[in-house]
């Protein structure tokens, strides 16, 4: 029989690991689980081995197949590929190529080789945690097939899979598989054979046939294997002599007393139940309890408290009448270690359910379900998914709980990422504030803002800028008699005071070079009192010199020059940029400083005009001989001269500001003595 095969570009690939899954929903990276803990991820990987084996697993199986059957099919070695092919082609459809090669080799044997390949797939790849995942589905093949049906539906639901691929356990020894790829159906036939041998030590014949009316559905029929002593039905040994009672036809009845159900059927339907008589002796156990306790029970006359620990309701008195009163309260029962048991697997297992009073027999019926948090808790207690009835929501809780665990892990990872991002943003904000503060220390506010935004800064001409130049008289001689550390210490103390004056009078510090200290006013915030600010600062600088001495114990003596004029200002340089002043006025200001004397402030005629232009700010100005006027200063008619600024101005705002007094308006800025100079008195 030839098999129809086709190539599909969107072939499924099995996830390579539990931790790193591209787009997967089951990663439990942050879960505090042991390395060998069974999770829903492993169960998904196990089932994908049946429905969508990865290229790597297929190549491993092909390698084993070639080694075993090279003599049967000499050309079978052509199926092997270099593993690098899969890495270079992520969506490579290896299975379709295998089938094309098989059809070219021997069309009649293609199906047989595929079945053998499915067996090798299980033999080579179903190991370790994957084998454990398969084993948790049931204690025999029939339970395995039933659990395969239910578990795969839950996995599809969690992944929001809309394909028709799936399993249906249609009855005893019958499984229906749906897939859009017929090649998978033949692989599954071999995989089921190998799984039966591996998990249950049973050889079964499996016949595959299409389902009429739907070419995508395949029916697998598992036939019985018989020997002389017993019949093996889906891996469960039953006595050959056991006969099946004939079916008795009964008429329908609405009377509950006519319902016929023996204890065996009830125990199968409700595996986690037990019945106690008035003496609290166990008279019946469900299949779940029986599987755990029957090897340790001599008879059913045992006390329930020997095997069960009634944890809830709290404070319950273990008397029949008291328990009857609490039948509307949920019960939580823990399993005790039975007498004589050395290694009881289900010690501590909890069963949650309800207690029902049965008045017709004056007995108590407990019906419950295992109280578990995941697949690993199931298998650690010696249980299987098949031990949970199909109608019991605990199945969904166990399987969906694994997905919730994965989502919780994802949420925790997202919270960690969010916290790290917030911490990084906070750190960036702090660094940004530091950078902005540093820029404002170096550049005027307007220039600093443009630099921070990355805007281009064009040079600009500023009229009526008052410039101050100063230096220390005899600085070269002082340096020759002192160590570098002494010089730096002296300048640091002096310039620290000067920097405070800059902030106090709101003037811009241009730069310091050696002993030269240069400030300007009228650049960043022009006003009619720029010359007054600089003049007062010059007086404060001279006054500060009397508080600082050299290493020789002598007073520091400075000379200062002031000039007002037009300047060109702009940012120069990309590495350690500077806001520099250019123009004839800068040169003239420097000349007035050179022409000054120790502890004197040499003022240019233009600065003198600004100082006397407005009433209320009177300074003492002593005219000097016109010969002291720099040659570079324009002096048409020879009527101009320079001036020494007196040590103290006339009583006015400046004096009050220096003393920390408030302007007449009482404004806060006026009290600080900063912007009050911009407001006329």
């Amino acid at each position: 029989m030839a098999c129809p095969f086709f190539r599909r570009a969107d072939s499924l690939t099995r996830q390579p690991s539990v931790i790193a899954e591209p787009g997967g929903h089951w990663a439990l990276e942050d879960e505090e689980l042991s390395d060998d803990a069974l999770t829903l991820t492993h169960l998904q990987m196990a089932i994908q081995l049946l429905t969508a084996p990865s290229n790597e697993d297929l190549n491993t199986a092909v390698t084993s197949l070639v080694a075993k059957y090279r003599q049967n099919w000499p050309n079978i070695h052509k199926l092997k590929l270099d593993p690098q092919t899969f890495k270079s082609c992520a969506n490579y459809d290896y299975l379709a190529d295998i089938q094309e090669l098989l059809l070219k080799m021997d069309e009649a044997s293609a199906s047989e080789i595929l079945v053998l390949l499915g067996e090798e797939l299980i033999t080579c790849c179903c190991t370790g945690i994957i084998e454990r995942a398969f084993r948790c589905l049931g204690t025999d093949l029939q339970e395995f097939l039933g659990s395969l049906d239910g578990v795969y539906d839950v996995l599809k639901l969690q992944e929001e899979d809309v394909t028709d691929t799936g399993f249906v356990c249609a009855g005893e020894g019958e499984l229906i598989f749906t897939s859009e790829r017929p090649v998978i159906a033949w692989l599954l036939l071999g995989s089921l054979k190998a799984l039966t041998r591996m998990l249950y030590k049973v050889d079964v014949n499996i016949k595959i046939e299409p389902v009429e009316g739907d070419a995508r559905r395949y029916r697998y029929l598992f036939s019985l294997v018989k020997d002389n002593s017993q019949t093996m039905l889906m891996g469960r040994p039953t006595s050959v002599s056991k006969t099946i009672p004939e079916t008795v036809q009964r008429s329908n009845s609405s009377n509950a007393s006519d319902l016929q159900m023996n204890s065996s059927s009830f125990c199968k339907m409700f595996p986690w139940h037990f019945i106690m008589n008035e003496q609290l002796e166990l008279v019946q156990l469900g299949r779940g309890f029986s599987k755990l306790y029957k090897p340790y029970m001599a008879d059913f006359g045992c006390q329930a408290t020997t095997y069960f620990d009634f944890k809830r309701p709290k404070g319950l008195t273990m008397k029949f009448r008291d328990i009857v009163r609490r039948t509307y309260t949920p019960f939580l029962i823990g399993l005790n270690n039975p007498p004589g048991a050395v290694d009881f697997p289900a010690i501590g297992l909890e069963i949650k359910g309800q207690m029902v009073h049965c008045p017709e027999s004056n007995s108590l019926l407990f019906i419950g379900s295992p109280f578990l948090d995941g697949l690993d808790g199931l298998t650690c207690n010696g249980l299987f998914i098949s031990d949970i009835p199909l109608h019991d929501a605990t199945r969904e809780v166990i399987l969906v709980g694994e997905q919730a665990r994965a989502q919780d892990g994802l949420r925790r990872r997202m919270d960690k990422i969010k916290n790290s991002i917030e911490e990084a943003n906070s750190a960036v904000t702090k660094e940004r504030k530091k950078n902005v503060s540093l820029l404002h220390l170096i550049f005027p506010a307007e220039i600093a803002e443009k630099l921070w935004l990355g805007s281009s800064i064009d040079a600009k001409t500023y009229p009526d800028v008052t410039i101050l130049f100063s230096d220390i008289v005899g600085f070269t001689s002082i340096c020759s008699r002192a160590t570098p550390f002494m010089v730096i210490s002296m300048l640091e103390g002096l310039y620290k005071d000067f920097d405070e004056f800059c902030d106090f009078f709101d003037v811009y510090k241009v730069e310091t070079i050696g002993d030269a200290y240069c400030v300007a006013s009228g650049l960043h915030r022009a006003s009619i009192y720029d010359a007054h600010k600089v003049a007062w600062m010059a007086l404060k600088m001279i006054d500060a010199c009397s508080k600082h001495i050299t290493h020789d114990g002598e007073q520091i003596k400075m000379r200062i020059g002031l000039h007002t004029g037009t300047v060109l200002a702009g940012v120069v340089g990309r590495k350690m940029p500077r806001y520099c002043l250019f123009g004839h006025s800068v040169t003239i200001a420097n000349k007035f400083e050179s022409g000054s004397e120790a502890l004197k402030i040499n003022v240019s005629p233009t600065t003198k005009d600004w100082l006397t232009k407005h009433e209320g700010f009177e300074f003492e100005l002593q005219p000097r001989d016109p010969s002291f006027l720099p040659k570079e200063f324009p002096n048409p008619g020879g009527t101009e001269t320079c001036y020494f600024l007196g040590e103290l101005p006339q009583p006015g705002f400046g004096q009050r500001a220096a003393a920390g007094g408030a302007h007449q308006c009482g404004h806060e800025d006026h009290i600080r003595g900063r912007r009050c100079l911009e407001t006329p008195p």
Side-chain angles (χ1 to χ4, degrees), residues 447-505:
I447 304 300
E449 182 178 0
K450 290 183 178 180
L451 283 175
W452 176 251
L453 297 176
S455 304
S456 59
I457 301 175
D458 298 328
K460 185 177 180 181
T461 300
Y462 295 88
D464 304 320
V465 175
T466 301
I467 306 170
L468 178 151
F469 274 92
S470 68
D471 68 351
I472 299 176
V473 178
F475 183 74
T476 303
S477 176
I478 294 173
C479 292
S480 65
R481 302 190 306 269
T483 63
F485 178 81
M486 295 177 180
V487 175
I488 294 297
S489 178
M490 177 187 68
L491 294 178
E492 169 63 18
L494 184 63
Y495 289 170
K496 180 180 178 181
D497 289 349
F498 292 179
D499 292 341
E500 291 178 359
F501 299 157
C502 289
D503 183 70
F504 188 83
F505 294 105

Side-chain angles (χ1 to χ4, degrees), residues 242 260-271 273 275 284-288 290 294:
K242 184 177 180 179
Q260 295 290 324
M261 177 183 289
N262 57 30
S263 60
S264 177
S265 299
F266 192 84
C267 291
K268 180 180 179 180
M269 189 63 183
F270 303 100
H273 88 276
I275 298 177
Q284 182 172 300
L285 286 178
R287 190 176 65 173
S290 180
K294 193 170 184 179

Side-chain angles (χ1 to χ4, degrees), residues 615-626:
E615 297 180 358
F617 295 92
E618 298 179 359
F619 291 85
E620 181 181 350
L621 296 169
Q622 301 175 2
R624 300 184 65 189
D625 190 271

Side-chain angles (χ1 to χ4, degrees), residues 462-468 505-508 519-538 562-565 607 610-611 614 619 674 677-679:
Y462 295 88
D464 304 320
V465 175
T466 301
I467 306 170
L468 178 151
F505 294 105
D506 196 24
V507 298
Y508 175 67
V519 301
S521 183
L523 287 173
H524 56 307
R525 278 187 291 270
S527 72
I528 59 175
Y529 300 110
D530 290 326
H532 302 76
K533 298 177 184 179
V534 177
W536 187 253
M537 180 172 178
L562 307 183
H563 175 62
T564 303
T607 302
W610 277 99
L611 292 176
H614 302 287
F619 291 85
R674 294 185 62 179
L677 295 180
E678 298 182 9
T679 306

